[in-house]
Coordinates of all heavy atoms in Angstrom, one line a residue:
M1 N 17.0 12.5 0.1 CA 16.0 12.0 0.9 C 16.6 11.9 2.4 O 17.7 11.5 2.5 CB 15.5 10.6 0.4 CG 14.6 9.9 1.4 SD 14.1 8.3 0.7 CE 12.6 8.9 -0.1
N2 N 15.8 12.3 3.3 CA 16.2 12.2 4.7 C 16.0 10.8 5.3 O 15.2 10.1 4.9 CB 15.3 13.2 5.5 CG 15.7 13.4 6.9 OD1 16.3 12.5 7.5 ND2 15.4 14.6 7.4
V3 N 16.9 10.4 6.2 CA 16.9 9.1 6.8 C 15.5 8.8 7.5 O 15.0 7.7 7.5 CB 18.0 8.9 7.8 CG1 17.9 7.6 8.6 CG2 19.4 9.0 7.2
N4 N 14.9 9.9 8.0 CA 13.6 9.7 8.7 C 12.5 9.4 7.7 O 11.4 8.9 8.1 CB 13.2 11.0 9.4 CG 14.2 11.3 10.6 OD1 14.8 10.4 11.1 ND2 14.5 12.5 10.8
E5 N 12.7 9.6 6.4 CA 11.7 9.4 5.4 C 11.8 7.9 4.8 O 10.9 7.5 4.1 CB 11.8 10.4 4.2 CG 11.6 11.8 4.7 CD 12.0 12.8 3.6 OE1 13.0 12.6 2.9 OE2 11.2 13.8 3.4
V6 N 12.9 7.2 5.1 CA 13.1 5.9 4.6 C 12.2 4.9 5.2 O 11.9 4.9 6.4 CB 14.6 5.5 4.9 CG1 14.8 4.0 4.5 CG2 15.5 6.4 4.1
I7 N 11.7 4.0 4.4 CA 10.8 2.9 4.9 C 11.7 1.6 4.9 O 12.1 1.1 3.8 CB 9.6 2.7 4.0 CG1 8.7 4.0 4.1 CG2 8.8 1.5 4.5 CD1 7.6 4.0 3.1
V8 N 11.9 1.0 6.1 CA 12.8 -0.2 6.2 C 12.1 -1.3 5.4 O 10.9 -1.5 5.5 CB 12.9 -0.5 7.7 CG1 13.6 -1.9 7.8 CG2 13.7 0.6 8.4
G9 N 12.9 -2.1 4.7 CA 12.3 -3.2 3.9 C 12.2 -2.9 2.4 O 11.9 -3.7 1.6
L10 N 12.3 -1.6 2.0 CA 12.2 -1.2 0.6 C 13.6 -1.0 0.0 O 14.6 -0.8 0.7 CB 11.4 0.1 0.5 CG 9.9 0.0 0.9 CD1 9.2 1.3 0.6 CD2 9.2 -1.1 0.1
R11 N 13.7 -1.1 -1.3 CA 14.9 -0.9 -2.0 C 15.2 0.5 -2.3 O 14.4 1.3 -2.8 CB 14.8 -1.7 -3.3 CG 16.1 -1.8 -4.1 CD 16.0 -2.8 -5.3 NE 15.6 -4.1 -4.9 CZ 16.5 -5.1 -4.5 NH1 17.8 -4.8 -4.4 NH2 16.0 -6.3 -4.1
Y12 N 16.5 1.0 -2.0 CA 16.9 2.3 -2.3 C 18.3 2.3 -2.9 O 19.0 1.4 -2.7 CB 17.0 3.1 -0.9 CG 15.6 3.4 -0.3 CD1 15.1 2.5 0.6 CD2 14.9 4.5 -0.6 CE1 13.9 2.7 1.2 CE2 13.7 4.8 0.0 CZ 13.2 3.9 0.9 OH 12.0 4.1 1.5
R13 N 18.6 3.4 -3.5 CA 20.0 3.6 -4.0 C 20.7 4.4 -2.8 O 20.2 5.5 -2.5 CB 20.1 4.4 -5.3 CG 21.5 4.7 -5.7 CD 21.5 5.4 -7.0 NE 22.9 5.5 -7.4 CZ 23.3 6.1 -8.5 NH1 22.4 6.6 -9.3 NH2 24.6 6.2 -8.8
V14 N 21.7 3.9 -2.3 CA 22.4 4.5 -1.1 C 23.8 4.8 -1.5 O 24.5 3.9 -2.0 CB 22.4 3.5 0.1 CG1 23.0 4.2 1.3 CG2 20.9 3.1 0.4
S15 N 24.3 6.0 -1.3 CA 25.6 6.4 -1.6 C 26.2 7.1 -0.4 O 25.5 7.9 0.3 CB 25.6 7.4 -2.8 OG 26.9 7.9 -3.0
G16 N 27.4 6.8 0.0 CA 28.0 7.5 1.1 C 29.2 6.8 1.7 O 29.7 5.8 1.1
D17 N 29.6 7.2 2.9 CA 30.7 6.6 3.6 C 30.2 5.3 4.4 O 29.1 5.3 5.0 CB 31.3 7.6 4.6 CG 31.8 8.8 3.9 OD1 32.2 8.7 2.8 OD2 31.8 9.9 4.6
L18 N 31.0 4.3 4.4 CA 30.7 3.1 5.2 C 31.9 2.7 5.9 O 33.0 2.8 5.5 CB 30.1 2.0 4.3 CG 31.0 1.4 3.2 CD1 31.2 -0.1 3.5 CD2 30.2 1.6 1.9
S19 N 31.6 2.1 7.1 CA 32.7 1.6 7.9 C 33.1 0.2 7.4 O 32.2 -0.6 7.1 CB 32.3 1.5 9.4 OG 31.2 0.7 9.6
N20 N 34.4 0.0 7.3 CA 34.9 -1.3 6.7 C 36.0 -1.8 7.6 O 37.1 -2.0 7.1 CB 35.4 -0.9 5.3 CG 35.0 -1.9 4.3 OD1 34.4 -2.9 4.6 ND2 35.4 -1.7 3.1
G21 N 35.7 -2.1 8.9 CA 36.7 -2.6 9.8 C 37.6 -1.5 10.3 O 37.2 -0.3 10.3
C22 N 38.7 -1.9 10.8 CA 39.7 -0.9 11.4 C 41.1 -1.1 10.9 O 41.4 -2.2 10.5 CB 39.7 -1.1 12.9 SG 38.2 -0.7 13.8
H23 N 41.8 0.0 10.9 CA 43.3 -0.1 10.6 C 44.0 -0.7 11.8 O 43.4 -0.9 12.9 CB 43.8 1.3 10.4 CG 43.3 2.0 9.1 ND1 43.8 1.7 7.9 CD2 42.4 2.9 9.0 CE1 43.1 2.4 7.0 NE2 42.3 3.2 7.6
A24 N 45.2 -1.1 11.6 CA 46.0 -1.7 12.7 C 46.1 -0.9 13.9 O 46.2 -1.4 15.1 CB 47.4 -2.1 12.2
D25 N 46.1 0.5 13.8 CA 46.2 1.3 15.0 C 44.8 1.6 15.6 O 44.7 2.3 16.6 CB 46.8 2.7 14.6 CG 46.0 3.5 13.6 OD1 44.9 3.0 13.2 OD2 46.4 4.6 13.2
G26 N 43.8 0.9 15.1 CA 42.4 1.0 15.8 C 41.5 2.1 15.2 O 40.4 2.2 15.6
T27 N 42.0 2.9 14.3 CA 41.2 3.9 13.7 C 40.3 3.3 12.7 O 40.7 2.3 12.0 CB 42.0 5.0 13.0 OG1 42.8 4.4 12.0 CG2 42.8 5.8 14.0
P28 N 39.0 3.7 12.6 CA 38.1 3.1 11.6 C 38.5 3.2 10.2 O 39.1 4.3 9.8 CB 36.8 3.8 11.9 CG 37.1 5.0 12.6 CD 38.4 4.8 13.3
R29 N 38.3 2.2 9.4 CA 38.6 2.3 7.9 C 37.3 2.7 7.2 O 36.3 2.0 7.3 CB 39.0 0.9 7.4 CG 39.3 0.9 6.0 CD 39.8 -0.5 5.5 NE 41.1 -0.7 6.2 CZ 41.6 -1.9 6.5 NH1 40.9 -3.0 6.2 NH2 42.8 -2.0 7.0
I30 N 37.3 3.9 6.6 CA 36.1 4.4 6.0 C 36.3 4.4 4.4 O 37.4 4.8 3.9 CB 35.9 5.9 6.4 CG1 35.8 6.0 7.9 CG2 34.7 6.5 5.7 CD1 34.7 5.3 8.5
S31 N 35.3 3.9 3.7 CA 35.4 3.9 2.3 C 34.1 4.5 1.8 O 33.1 4.7 2.5 CB 35.6 2.5 1.7 OG 34.6 1.6 2.1
H32 N 34.0 4.7 0.5 CA 32.8 5.3 -0.1 C 32.2 4.3 -1.1 O 32.9 3.6 -1.8 CB 33.1 6.6 -0.9 CG 31.9 7.3 -1.4 ND1 31.2 8.2 -0.6 CD2 31.3 7.3 -2.6 CE1 30.2 8.7 -1.3 NE2 30.2 8.1 -2.5
D33 N 30.9 4.1 -1.1 CA 30.2 3.1 -1.9 C 28.9 3.7 -2.4 O 28.4 4.7 -1.8 CB 30.0 1.9 -1.1 CG 30.0 0.6 -2.0 OD1 30.0 0.8 -3.3 OD2 30.0 -0.5 -1.5
D34 N 28.4 3.1 -3.5 CA 27.2 3.5 -4.1 C 26.5 2.2 -4.6 O 27.0 1.6 -5.5 CB 27.4 4.5 -5.3 CG 26.2 5.0 -5.9 OD1 25.1 4.5 -5.6 OD2 26.3 6.0 -6.7
V35 N 25.4 1.8 -3.9 CA 24.7 0.6 -4.2 C 23.2 0.7 -4.2 O 22.7 1.7 -3.7 CB 25.1 -0.5 -3.2 CG1 26.6 -0.8 -3.3 CG2 24.7 -0.2 -1.8
V36 N 22.5 -0.3 -4.8 CA 21.1 -0.4 -4.7 C 20.8 -1.6 -3.9 O 21.1 -2.7 -4.4 CB 20.4 -0.4 -6.1 CG1 19.0 -0.7 -6.0 CG2 20.8 0.8 -6.9
R37 N 20.2 -1.5 -2.8 CA 19.9 -2.6 -1.9 C 18.7 -2.3 -1.0 O 18.2 -1.1 -0.9 CB 21.1 -2.9 -0.9 CG 22.4 -3.2 -1.5 CD 22.4 -4.7 -2.0 NE 23.7 -5.1 -2.4 CZ 24.2 -4.9 -3.6 NH1 23.6 -4.2 -4.5 NH2 25.4 -5.4 -3.8
V38 N 18.2 -3.3 -0.4 CA 17.1 -3.2 0.6 C 17.7 -2.7 1.9 O 18.7 -3.3 2.4 CB 16.3 -4.5 0.8 CG1 15.3 -4.4 1.9 CG2 15.6 -4.9 -0.5
I39 N 17.0 -1.7 2.5 CA 17.5 -1.3 3.9 C 16.8 -2.2 4.9 O 15.6 -2.3 5.0 CB 17.1 0.2 4.1 CG1 17.9 1.1 3.1 CG2 17.4 0.6 5.5 CD1 17.6 2.5 3.2
K40 N 17.6 -2.8 5.7 CA 17.2 -3.7 6.8 C 17.0 -3.1 8.1 O 16.1 -3.5 8.9 CB 18.2 -4.9 6.9 CG 18.1 -5.9 5.8 CD 16.7 -6.4 5.7 CE 16.8 -7.8 5.0 NZ 15.4 -8.3 4.8
R41 N 17.8 -2.1 8.5 CA 17.7 -1.5 9.8 C 18.4 -0.1 9.8 O 19.3 0.2 9.0 CB 18.4 -2.4 10.8 CG 18.2 -2.1 12.2 CD 18.6 -3.2 13.1 NE 20.0 -3.5 13.0 CZ 20.9 -3.4 13.9 NH1 20.5 -3.1 15.1 NH2 22.2 -3.8 13.7
I42 N 17.9 0.8 10.7 CA 18.5 2.1 10.8 C 18.7 2.3 12.3 O 17.8 2.1 13.1 CB 17.5 3.2 10.3 CG1 17.3 3.0 8.8 CG2 18.1 4.6 10.5 CD1 16.3 3.9 8.2
T43 N 19.9 2.7 12.7 CA 20.3 3.1 14.0 C 20.5 4.6 14.1 O 20.3 5.3 13.1 CB 21.5 2.3 14.5 OG1 22.7 2.8 13.8 CG2 21.4 0.8 14.3
N44 N 21.0 5.0 15.3 CA 21.2 6.5 15.4 C 22.4 6.9 14.5 O 22.5 8.1 14.1 CB 21.6 6.8 16.9 CG 20.3 6.7 17.7 OD1 19.2 6.8 17.2 ND2 20.5 6.5 19.0
T45 N 23.3 6.0 14.2 CA 24.6 6.4 13.5 C 24.7 5.7 12.2 O 25.6 6.1 11.4 CB 25.8 6.1 14.4 OG1 25.8 4.7 14.7 CG2 25.8 6.9 15.6
R46 N 24.0 4.6 11.9 CA 24.2 3.8 10.7 C 22.9 3.5 10.0 O 21.8 3.4 10.6 CB 24.8 2.4 11.1 CG 26.0 2.5 12.0 CD 27.2 2.9 11.3 NE 28.3 3.1 12.3 CZ 29.5 2.8 12.1 NH1 29.9 2.3 11.0 NH2 30.4 3.1 13.0
V47 N 23.0 3.2 8.7 CA 22.0 2.6 7.8 C 22.5 1.3 7.4 O 23.5 1.2 6.7 CB 21.6 3.5 6.6 CG1 20.7 2.8 5.7 CG2 21.1 4.9 7.0
I48 N 21.8 0.2 7.8 CA 22.3 -1.2 7.5 C 21.5 -1.8 6.4 O 20.3 -1.8 6.5 CB 22.2 -2.0 8.8 CG1 23.0 -1.3 9.9 CG2 22.7 -3.4 8.6 CD1 22.8 -1.8 11.3
L49 N 22.2 -2.3 5.4 CA 21.6 -2.9 4.2 C 21.5 -4.4 4.3 O 22.1 -5.0 5.2 CB 22.4 -2.5 3.0 CG 22.7 -1.0 2.8 CD1 23.4 -0.8 1.5 CD2 21.4 -0.2 2.9
E50 N 20.7 -5.0 3.4 CA 20.5 -6.4 3.4 C 21.8 -7.2 3.2 O 21.9 -8.3 3.6 CB 19.5 -6.8 2.3 CG 20.1 -6.5 0.9 CD 19.1 -6.8 -0.2 OE1 18.1 -7.5 0.0 OE2 19.3 -6.3 -1.4
C51 N 22.8 -6.6 2.6 CA 24.1 -7.3 2.3 C 25.1 -7.1 3.4 O 26.1 -7.7 3.4 CB 24.7 -6.7 1.0 SG 25.0 -4.9 1.1
G52 N 24.7 -6.4 4.5 CA 25.6 -6.2 5.6 C 26.3 -4.9 5.6 O 27.0 -4.6 6.6
R53 N 26.3 -4.1 4.5 CA 27.0 -2.9 4.5 C 26.4 -1.9 5.6 O 25.2 -1.9 5.7 CB 27.0 -2.2 3.2 CG 27.9 -2.9 2.1 CD 27.8 -2.1 0.8 NE 28.7 -2.6 -0.2 CZ 28.3 -3.5 -1.1 NH1 27.1 -4.0 -1.2 NH2 29.2 -3.9 -2.0
E54 N 27.2 -1.2 6.2 CA 26.7 -0.2 7.2 C 27.2 1.2 6.9 O 28.3 1.6 7.0 CB 27.3 -0.6 8.6 CG 26.8 -1.9 9.1 CD 27.3 -2.2 10.5 OE1 27.8 -1.3 11.2 OE2 27.0 -3.3 11.0
F55 N 26.3 2.0 6.3 CA 26.6 3.3 5.9 C 26.5 4.2 7.1 O 25.5 4.1 7.9 CB 25.6 3.8 4.8 CG 26.0 3.3 3.4 CD1 25.5 2.0 3.0 CD2 26.7 4.0 2.6 CE1 25.8 1.5 1.8 CE2 27.1 3.6 1.3 CZ 26.6 2.3 0.9
I56 N 27.4 5.1 7.2 CA 27.5 6.1 8.3 C 26.5 7.2 8.0 O 26.5 7.8 6.9 CB 28.9 6.6 8.5 CG1 29.8 5.5 8.8 CG2 28.9 7.7 9.6 CD1 31.3 5.8 8.7
I57 N 25.7 7.6 9.0 CA 24.8 8.7 8.8 C 25.6 10.0 9.0 O 26.0 10.3 10.1 CB 23.6 8.7 9.7 CG1 22.7 7.4 9.4 CG2 22.7 9.9 9.6 CD1 21.6 7.2 10.4
N58 N 25.9 10.7 7.9 CA 26.7 12.0 7.9 C 26.3 12.8 6.7 O 25.3 12.4 6.0 CB 28.2 11.7 8.0 CG 28.7 11.0 6.8 OD1 28.1 10.9 5.8 ND2 29.9 10.5 7.0
D59 N 27.0 13.9 6.5 CA 26.6 14.8 5.4 C 26.8 14.1 4.0 O 26.3 14.6 3.0 CB 27.5 16.1 5.4 CG 27.1 16.9 6.6 OD1 25.9 16.8 7.1 OD2 27.9 17.7 7.1
N60 N 27.6 13.1 3.9 CA 27.9 12.4 2.6 C 26.8 11.4 2.2 O 26.8 10.9 1.1 CB 29.3 11.7 2.6 CG 30.4 12.7 2.8 OD1 30.3 13.8 2.4 ND2 31.5 12.3 3.4
L61 N 26.0 11.0 3.1 CA 24.9 10.0 2.9 C 23.8 10.6 2.0 O 23.3 11.6 2.2 CB 24.3 9.5 4.2 CG 23.3 8.4 4.1 CD1 23.9 7.2 3.5 CD2 22.6 8.2 5.4
K62 N 23.6 9.8 0.9 CA 22.5 10.2 -0.1 C 21.7 8.9 -0.3 O 22.2 7.9 -0.6 CB 23.1 10.7 -1.4 CG 23.8 12.0 -1.3 CD 24.3 12.4 -2.6 CE 25.1 13.7 -2.4 NZ 26.3 13.8 -3.1
I63 N 20.3 9.1 -0.1 CA 19.4 8.0 -0.3 C 18.4 8.4 -1.3 O 17.8 9.5 -1.1 CB 18.8 7.6 1.0 CG1 19.8 7.2 2.1 CG2 17.8 6.4 0.8 CD1 19.3 6.9 3.5
E64 N 18.1 7.6 -2.3 CA 17.1 7.9 -3.3 C 16.2 6.6 -3.5 O 16.7 5.5 -3.4 CB 17.8 8.1 -4.7 CG 18.8 9.3 -4.7 CD 19.6 9.3 -6.0 OE1 19.3 8.5 -6.9 OE2 20.4 10.2 -6.1
K65 N 14.9 6.9 -3.8 CA 14.0 5.8 -4.1 C 14.5 5.1 -5.4 O 15.0 5.8 -6.3 CB 12.6 6.3 -4.3 CG 12.0 6.7 -3.0 CD 10.5 7.2 -3.2 CE 9.9 7.6 -1.9 NZ 8.5 8.0 -2.1
F66 N 14.3 3.8 -5.5 CA 14.7 3.1 -6.7 C 13.6 2.4 -7.3 O 12.7 1.9 -6.7 CB 15.8 2.0 -6.3 CG 16.3 1.3 -7.5 CD1 17.2 1.9 -8.3 CD2 15.9 0.0 -7.8 CE1 17.7 1.3 -9.5 CE2 16.4 -0.6 -8.9 CZ 17.3 0.0 -9.7

């Protein structure tokens, strides 16, 4: 599913890379996660979930209706 097809406020299964703070040298800490949550907001670079996770919009992002 494309990010443009997502309806904010609905529950989706989201899988992909998320930013998880920074390393000591300032480079972003990236991890991979797969969760089912309500999408609260979408920016140009991130999909933000109800729990606060911020998935990066890139080739690894997968969104499915739940």
